Amino acid sequence: MTPEENTARKIQPDEYVETPEYTTMSIRAARQKQQEERITPDAFNRRLRILEALEKTSEHLAIELDVKIILERIAETIGIALGAKYVNFWGHSPDKKGVSIMAAYGMQKEYIEHSRKEPLPLGVAWIGRSMETGMAWSTSNVRKDPFLPPSWLPVVTQQNYHGLLCTPLVRKESTVGGMCIYYEHVHDFDYFEMSIATIVANQAATAVENARIFNDLQAERIKTTSIIYSLNDGLIMYDSEGRVLFFNPRAQELLLVSGDAILGKQIDEALVKKDPLLENLFNIATAEYEDYKVKEYAMKGHSTLTLEVTRIPVRDESSNTIGVMHVLHDITPAKELERVKSNFIATASHQMRTPLTGMRWAIDSLLGTDGVQDPKHKKTLELLSNTTDHLVQLINDLLNASRIEEGSLGFSFTLQDIAPVVEKTIANLRINADQRSVQVSFDKPEDPPALVSIDAEPIELVLQNLIDNAIKYTREGGFVHAALAKKSSVLQLIVKDNGIGIPEDEKQFIFNKFFRAKNAVRHHTDGSGLGLFIVKSILEKHDATIRFESEENKGTTFFIEFPLEEEKMPKSTETKTKEKQQ
Ligand code: ADP
């Protein structure tokens, strides 16, 4: 068997070969041998020196940060203590197929560079074998060792060494490198030296792994920072005390605030007093947001931007909240488009309302006692009257929706009983209900009435839409039932019908502008799809909520909840009226 063939041979972990010329063995074999030998005083003193050197090597880990310098210092310290000629550390080549020198003590530069240019294949020679098996291997005389390929003998001779020990650097069961100790003369490695080499190798492995983690983190940090820096949305991050930790360039641009001025600071009133430009940041930082919910913020001062602000809690690995992030999204262009659109609708509706009112007046007078007498003509006029009514209703809906969107629908709140408003609305819709033979009933609450802070006019519009829908979407002979009841901190109003219901897959859209469910279109062809949008928008202004339960062909119930004044913070009605009007 040639030496080349030998290198490829599978070596047993406890292999130990001893001849008059060389011994070669694994660390397990050395341990076995150690147990059979007695230690001399000289050997004992040498071991003490080595242990002292070991203590020193651990210091390098604590002081230095650069992995190459740490390894060079360790190599030097341990090399001197052991009386070795060279010590070097090996790492994997980029393709992981070979190994080359990372740092060395006592070795010529050319040899180190050569190993980098032509890495040793993994599994070959002592270092390759050690890194592949994850085990320390030694030879007392490499030149006589049959594991040395003859082609390498000239290099070994030039390097002028005989004894060689290679130890893997192991981290979490994977080999991250290797360390070799070279002696000029023939040298029998004992278990003690091998163990020391293993400890040093472990220290070096920690340094290599730390450097790798540090580099990975650094790369990750650079990646994340560059993503955040190039984002088209503003990002502000605060710690748990509300201090600004991070403020990306886009946030600086949107809020017209420089990051340097506020990093590390809590944005409070005192700061805004000193620098009025911080007002917008202060408003955003101190406003109440629900997590992950989007809220609009119209910039104050010179800026005319409208932002969408999302609050995102920042959590550590154990899900503890350690801070908060605000994402700022500029929606000014979309807002502008919406404004132009609603302006157009408002103007067009205004223009159409006047001639329509005239038409309605003319039709009414033609239908009067002095008007058309021919029953056929009368019928046509009645149809025309209905169509005009629908058109007027549509135009009113369009106008109301655009006023709501623009925010020009003013509110004037007073504390009052809502029951009369419900009664009035039902009375107004009685004709509609009778025409469709729908029974409408109302359950008034117990005395004394629970008062809520409302603006009666828009609330009438809300009730009219809800009750009219309930009548409209109920088959002949059906019922509509309204009820008011006090429920802990709210006054609940329900509008219930046993009509066509809302299909499950369309429920999520019914508060959207212009949306009409398929069954509603089939059942009642007329409708703008604006009613519920108006209802929801008006109720929001009242701090009231609306939800519904519905089953197709069974019926629908809308639940509206108004906050009760006495359950709220003790504030005078007057103050509240002013606040809401603002
Ligand atoms: P519309 O002019 O179509 O009535 P709304 O905005 O008032 O518009 O209502 C939107 C859609 O919600 C309706 O088209 C219908 O599909 C559904 N809807 C509202 N109220 C009821 C109800 N009481 N019963 C069944 N469907 C309803």
Side-chain angles (χ1 to χ4, degrees):
M1 194 185 292
T2 67
E4 277 88 348
E5 280 166 331
N6 266 342
T7 52
R9 173 161 77 85
K10 192 94 189 130
I11 293 157
Q12 297 308 308
D14 48 2
E15 194 159 348
Y16 169 41
V17 182
E18 189 170 24
T19 73
E21 290 182 310
Y22 74 93
T23 53
T24 189
M25 62 181 152
S26 73
I27 190 163
R28 280 194 210 164
R31 186 164 191 259
Q32 181 66 34
K33 192 162 173 272
Q34 163 95 28
Q35 281 165 355
E36 292 158 11
E37 278 174 5
R38 289 187 67 81
I39 181 164
T40 63
D42 269 1
F44 183 77
N45 285 335
R46 181 168 173 268
R47 286 182 185 186
L48 270 186
R49 274 202 320 278
I50 296 171
L51 283 174
E52 277 163 17
L54 189 63
E55 195 187 342
K56 221 168 156 197
T57 59
S58 60
E59 284 172 14
H60 300 314
L61 282 180
I63 298 166
E64 273 300 331
L65 272 178
D66 183 332
V67 68
K68 188 164 175 284
I69 298 179
I70 294 177
L71 295 181
E72 274 169 2
R73 301 258 158 89
I74 294 179
E76 184 182 359
T77 312
I78 206 70
I80 294 170
L82 290 171
K85 182 162 185 165
Y86 315 123
V87 176
N88 59 18
F89 286 99
W90 297 71
H92 288 104
S93 57
D95 64 3
K96 302 261 178 229
K97 287 185 183 154
V99 297
S100 61
I101 299 173
M102 295 192 276
Y105 153 71
M107 234 163 191
Q108 294 98 321
K109 264 204 187 120
E110 308 87 83
Y111 189 70
I112 299 171
E113 271 156 23
H114 176 76
S115 91
R116 287 182 190 157
K117 260 188 242 146
E118 282 178 41
L120 262 176
L122 207 60
V124 167
W126 280 262
I127 180 63
R129 198 187 313 155
S130 199
M131 280 174 69
E132 195 183 55
T133 60
M135 207 176 283
W137 289 88
S138 77
T139 180
S140 65
N141 184 359
V142 70
R143 298 192 203 180
K144 299 282 179 194
D145 202 306
F147 284 115
L148 185 81
S151 57
W152 293 10
L153 195 58
V155 188
V156 170
T157 315
Q158 201 188 345
Q159 288 282 313
N160 191 23
Y161 64 85
H162 290 81
L164 170 64
L165 163 67
C166 291
T167 311
L169 310 189
V170 182
R171 267 322 272 167
K172 284 198 202 137
E173 290 170 16
S174 73
T175 305
V176 295
M179 178 185 76
C180 291
I181 298 168
Y182 305 73
Y183 279 92
E184 184 172 345
H185 303 291
V186 172
H187 184 92
D188 273 314
F189 286 91
D190 59 18
Y191 180 62
F192 179 77
E193 282 170 317
M194 283 179 152
S195 302
I196 292 295
T198 304
I199 297 170
V200 174
N202 284 343
Q203 290 177 344
T206 308
V208 170
E209 185 66 356
N210 285 352
R212 192 189 61 76
I213 294 171
F214 184 75
N215 287 341
D216 283 359
L217 284 178
Q218 192 85 335
E220 202 55 42
R221 217 180 80 124
I222 291 170
K223 213 163 67 188
T224 315
T225 317
S226 54
I227 292 172
I228 290 173
Y229 267 68
S230 52
L231 268 185
N232 199 29
D233 281 346
L235 280 189
I236 314 168
M237 197 169 140
Y238 315 83
D239 66 11
S240 48
E241 318 273 287
R243 282 181 293 253
V244 177
L245 286 183
F246 186 81
F247 201 68
N248 78 342
R250 183 66 176 141
Q252 306 190 22
E253 206 175 279
L254 291 171
L255 298 179
L256 303 170
V257 171
S258 115
D260 299 343
I262 46 134
L263 279 180
K265 292 184 189 158
Q266 244 168 355
I267 314 299
D268 51 19
E269 270 166 354
L271 210 65
V272 181
K273 256 196 192 140
K274 269 197 249 156
D275 183 356
L277 279 178
L278 295 179
E279 189 196 353
N280 286 308
L281 175 60
F282 171 77
N283 291 342
I284 291 173
T286 52
E288 272 182 27
Y289 299 98
E290 257 181 80
D291 288 354
Y292 305 106
K293 288 261 163 70
V294 177
K295 203 168 169 181
E296 268 183 38
Y297 175 74
M299 293 272 288
K300 307 261 171 357
H302 297 305
S303 172
T304 52
L305 299 185
T306 307
L307 306 178
E308 254 178 17
V309 183
T310 318
R311 180 190 197 271
I312 299 172
V314 181
R315 301 204 164 93
D316 64 11
E317 317 82 75
S318 333
S319 294
N320 301 316
T321 307
I322 51 165
V324 164
M325 194 157 76
H326 281 147
V327 181
L328 315 178
H329 184 61
D330 181 10
I331 53 159
T332 317
K335 276 262 142 194
E336 182 56 18
L337 198 70
E338 216 169 274
R339 196 186 60 76
V340 173
K341 220 169 63 189
S342 339
N343 264 357
F344 168 76
I345 293 178
T347 317
S349 313
H350 263 298
Q351 299 291 335
M352 285 193 284
R353 199 154 65 157
T354 321
L356 266 178
T357 320
M359 267 169 73
R360 198 186 196 180
W361 179 83
I363 296 166
D364 282 352
S365 72
L366 282 173
L367 279 172
T369 37
D370 299 335
V372 178
Q373 299 304 321
D374 180 347
K376 252 167 91 191
H377 291 161
K378 240 187 156 113
K379 187 119 185 106
T380 316
L381 275 175
E382 268 163 14
L383 275 173
L384 198 60
S385 169
N386 271 345
T387 316
T388 321
D389 276 355
H390 282 136
L391 270 174
V392 171
Q393 183 55 44
L394 172 68
I395 280 173
N396 283 341
D397 280 356
L398 281 170
L399 272 173
N400 282 329
S402 76
R403 277 196 205 124
I404 282 169
E405 282 187 323
E406 271 169 21
S408 64
L409 203 68
F411 287 87
S412 164
F413 296 87
T414 43
L415 208 53
Q416 56 185 286
D417 180 6
I418 203 170
V421 190
V422 182
E423 280 168 335
K424 186 180 164 198
T425 316
I426 293 178
N428 287 343
L429 292 167
R430 184 69 63 194
I431 305 174
N432 288 11
D434 290 348
Q435 272 172 359
R436 306 181 60 80
S437 311
V438 172
Q439 289 284 329
V440 183
S441 56
F442 174 42
D443 245 6
K444 254 172 99 167
E446 76 284 6
D447 282 343
L451 302 184
V452 278
S453 174
I454 56 163
D455 183 340
E457 212 178 300
I459 285 299
E460 204 181 311
L461 193 61
V462 166
L463 290 168
Q464 193 201 306
N465 270 302
L466 289 175
I467 300 171
D468 188 37
N469 275 349
I471 297 170
K472 221 162 62 175
Y473 299 122
T474 297
R475 293 188 183 90
E476 268 190 33
F479 74 79
V480 171
H481 179 69
L484 263 178
K486 211 174 135 182
K487 292 245 157 104
S488 63
S489 61
V490 295
L491 178 70
Q492 191 184 64
L493 166 67
I494 64 163
V495 178
K496 184 179 165 77
D497 64 59
N498 63 345
I500 60 169
I502 302 165
E504 198 55 44
D505 57 340
E506 295 185 279
K507 281 184 175 168
Q508 53 180 316
F509 307 115
I510 68 152
F511 290 106
N512 291 358
K513 263 190 295 179
F514 303 111
F515 182 80
R516 305 195 68 216
K518 277 189 222 83
N519 63 341
V521 176
R522 269 198 312 271
H523 182 79
H524 198 99
T525 40
D526 295 319
S528 64
L530 285 167
L532 288 186
F533 169 76
I534 295 170
V535 164
K536 192 158 191 249
S537 308
I538 293 174
L539 290 175
E540 269 168 13
K541 295 280 182 211
H542 285 78
D543 291 340
T545 58
I546 179 163
R547 64 184 175 85
F548 64 91
E549 284 168 9
S550 183
E551 201 176 327
E552 218 179 331
N553 296 320
K554 290 249 166 77
T556 306
T557 308
F558 280 90
F559 301 84
I560 300 152
E561 289 181 350
F562 293 93
L564 282 174
E565 276 304 296
E566 61 263 34
E567 311 294 333
K568 293 180 128 193
M569 298 283 285
K571 263 189 194 175
S572 77
T573 325
E574 218 181 68
T575 340
K576 193 168 171 255
T577 308
K578 272 195 208 134
E579 270 174 19
K580 285 204 174 175
Q581 274 172 328
Q582 272 166 8

